[in-house]
């Protein structure tokens, strides 16, 4: 198919470059998104690959540069549309957020609900950035079969993917409800396959309640899954401010494997080497845990990728003079594994010392809450 995103127009067997207008500056000029389109046989699927929505996460742009070669374009059955930097203001200032929008830019993608009418004059209208992401998402929805968004978690964390929860509408006629549930279950199975094809560790998103409350359903890939209804996941590529070349290479190999799974590239899957791939033997979801109960200095007793059982020691807690305080030894409340240690050693009460993947027995497909479409 003909793929044109902003000023970038796909050419079979080639790489095309262009820009997509993001936000106009009041002082003149504006921010634009870089767009790179690698197209082989135009009859194949369209794969969206994005990065840099959090400005301190710099691995994704390198992955995109290394993946999108002239040889890949010639070999592709289909088209890869890449946006190496979704948040140019954040990336150039090395800040998570864009300075013209105070808030997480990865909570601004559409949630499927229509804007309120009439407009509430006491509420802020959608920011320029949210409106721009809405326009970009229209392009993803119109011409997208798959999507992966590249991020980084913490310094030295395990390279893993966040698998989104899949929701379906449980209102309307029984036949419509049944069809919506069946479509969601099919999409979830595809998503499981796509995560497996990538070959890095897999972590499910939070339970449905906190997932919606924390607006994770408005992330790039959650919108792709639940609004565009395409398989999509978020890849977390370990350290962001100083990307690890081994992780970057493992991500490039994993992405080529996903393209093979999607029948967009020929050949056998490549081995994923040089990184820890953690499989405790049961599905896991993310949780910030364990948390300290009082101000302290933390001596971590675990490393990223370690398997832990409920009751295992995770950290030793001391005061700044070096004397044991609080729990003295902080224990894991769950079976699971350590995704990464949180940064630094000085902690206030209630702060988590690790990002953990804990056993997840919840269904990954569920109906939207009853009032979701009314609010
Ligand atoms: Zn991120």
């Amino acid at each position: 198919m003909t793929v044109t995103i902003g000023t970038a127009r796909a050419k079979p067997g080639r790489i095309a470059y262009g820009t997509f207008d993001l936000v106009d500056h009041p002082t003149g000029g504006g921010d634009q998104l870089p767009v790179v389109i690698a197209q082989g046989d135009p009859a194949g699927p369209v794969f969206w690959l994005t990065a840099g929505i959090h400005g301190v996460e710099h691995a994704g742009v390198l992955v995109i540069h290394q993946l999108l070669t002239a040889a890949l374009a010639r070999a592709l059955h289909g088209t890869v549309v890449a946006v190496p930097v979704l948040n140019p203001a954040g990336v150039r200032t090395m800040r998570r957020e864009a300075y013209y929008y105070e808030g997480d830019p990865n909570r601004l993608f559409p949630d499927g609900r229509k804007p309120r009418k009439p407009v509430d004059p006491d509420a802020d209208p959608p920011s320029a950035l949210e409106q721009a992401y809405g326009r970009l998402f229209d392009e993803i929805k119109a011409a997208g079969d798959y999507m992966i968004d590249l991020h980084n978690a913490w310094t030295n964390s395990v390279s893993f993917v966040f698998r989104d929860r899949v929701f379906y509408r449980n209102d309307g006629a029984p036949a419509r409800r049944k069809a919506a549930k069946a479509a969601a279950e099919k999409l979830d199975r595809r998503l499981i396959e796509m995560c497996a094809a990538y070959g890095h560790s897999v972590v499910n998103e939070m339970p449905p309640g906190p997932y919606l409350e924390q607006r994770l359903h408005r992330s790039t890939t959650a919108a792709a899954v639940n609004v565009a209804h395409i398989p999509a996941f978020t890849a977390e590529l370990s350290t962001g401010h100083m990307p690890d070349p081994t992780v970057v290479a493992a991500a490039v190999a994993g992405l080529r494997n996903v393209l093979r799974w999607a029948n967009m590239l020929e050949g056998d899957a490549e081995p994923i080497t040089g990184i820890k791939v953690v499989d405790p033997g049961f599905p896991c979801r993310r949780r910030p845990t364990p948390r300290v109960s009082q101000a302290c200095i933390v001596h971590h007793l675990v490393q990223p990728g370690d398997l832990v059982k409920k009751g295992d020691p995770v950290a030793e807690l001391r005061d700044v003079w070096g004397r044991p305080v609080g729990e003295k030894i902080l224990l894991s409340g769950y079976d699971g594994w350590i995704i990464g240690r949180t940064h630094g050693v000085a902690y206030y009460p209630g702060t988590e010392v690790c990002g953990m993947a804990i056993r997840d027995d919840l269904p990954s497909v569920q109906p939207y809450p009853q009032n979701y479409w009314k609010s």
Side-chain angles (χ1 to χ4, degrees):
M1 65 187 287
T2 308
V3 179
T4 303
I5 307 296
T7 64
R9 188 179 178 84
K11 298 184 198 79
R14 304 279 293 276
I15 299 182
Y17 304 91
T19 55
F20 181 92
D21 287 339
L22 192 70
V23 169
D24 288 338
H25 295 318
T27 48
D31 271 346
Q32 297 172 318
L33 299 180
V35 181
V36 188
I37 306 180
Q39 187 171 63
D41 165 11
V46 176
F47 204 116
W48 279 76
L49 188 57
T50 54
I53 198 164
H54 292 136
V56 289
E57 300 172 11
H58 287 194
V61 60
L62 304 184
V63 170
I64 288 173
H65 288 181
Q66 292 183 26
L67 178 72
L68 296 191
T69 60
L72 182 95
R74 286 193 296 274
L76 270 180
H77 173 63
T79 307
V80 176
V81 178
V83 180
V85 172
L86 280 171
N87 174 8
V91 168
R92 65 178 176 257
T93 56
M94 277 200 91
R95 297 183 70 88
R96 184 176 170 87
E97 299 166 356
Y99 57 82
Y100 40 72
Y101 172 74
E102 288 180 12
D104 190 332
N106 200 27
R107 303 288 184 273
L108 295 179
F109 278 64
D111 60 8
R113 291 184 279 208
K114 298 222 166 13
R116 272 183 198 199
K117 293 272 174 62
V119 171
D120 178 356
D122 292 314
D124 289 335
S127 64
L129 191 61
E130 180 172 348
Q131 291 182 45
Y133 287 155
R135 283 188 285 110
L136 183 72
F137 185 74
D138 287 342
E139 304 277 4
I140 295 170
K141 205 173 164 199
D145 298 291
Y146 306 94
M147 180 181 186
I148 292 176
D149 191 29
L150 304 171
H151 287 244
N152 298 96
W154 310 281
T155 300
N156 203 33
S157 50
V158 170
S159 178
F160 68 99
V161 305
F162 275 131
R163 174 179 156 219
D164 278 289
R165 303 267 165 196
V166 183
F167 291 87
Y168 63 90
R169 286 190 75 146
N170 199 28
D171 52 0
R176 190 175 121 176
R177 297 210 299 261
K178 197 175 160 193
K181 186 179 181 197
E185 286 170 346
K186 185 178 171 193
L187 176 57
D188 189 52
R189 285 194 297 274
R190 298 271 288 153
L191 193 42
I192 292 168
E193 283 178 20
M194 185 166 146
C195 292
Y198 181 64
H200 296 222
S201 307
V202 178
V203 180
N204 297 343
E205 267 294 0
M206 291 182 182
Y211 181 81
L212 295 170
E213 280 158 25
Q214 297 190 27
R215 300 199 303 146
L216 283 159
H217 67 301
R218 297 199 55 190
S219 75
T220 51
T221 56
V225 167
N226 284 307
V227 182
H229 306 296
I230 61 174
F233 65 68
T234 293
E236 298 281 352
L237 305 173
S238 191
T239 309
H241 55 278
M242 192 187 289
D244 178 342
T246 309
V247 175
V248 170
V252 173
L255 290 172
R256 278 197 295 255
N257 286 343
V258 173
L259 292 172
R260 291 183 180 103
W261 164 79
N263 296 318
M264 294 177 67
L265 206 55
E266 293 195 348
D268 296 332
E270 297 165 52
I272 300 299
T273 57
I275 62 165
K276 279 186 189 171
V277 179
V278 189
D279 180 6
F282 46 83
C284 287
R285 67 171 179 266
R286 69 148 120 178
R287 177 162 288 177
T289 187
R291 295 176 186 272
V292 300
S293 64
Q294 67 178 79
C296 60
I297 299 296
V298 168
H299 295 238
H300 287 89
L301 301 174
V302 290
Q303 294 299 326
D306 283 357
L307 293 172
V308 294
K309 288 201 173 345
K310 185 177 175 181
D312 282 353
V314 172
E316 191 185 334
L317 313 183
R318 300 194 191 191
D319 65 20
V320 75
W321 293 270
R323 299 168 295 196
V325 286
E327 299 89 341
K328 297 187 179 73
I329 301 290
L330 191 60
L331 307 177
S332 173
Y334 308 95
D335 292 347
W337 56 276
I338 305 297
I339 302 173
R341 294 161 38 172
T342 43
H343 295 166
V345 297
Y347 287 73
Y348 281 98
T351 314
E352 76 275 18
V353 304
C354 288
M356 266 191 72
I358 65 165
R359 183 190 287 273
D360 184 21
D361 296 321
L362 297 172
S364 51
V365 177
Q366 54 275 302
Y368 280 104
Q370 266 185 339
N371 56 3
Y372 181 85
W373 296 100
K374 297 189 183 93
S375 56

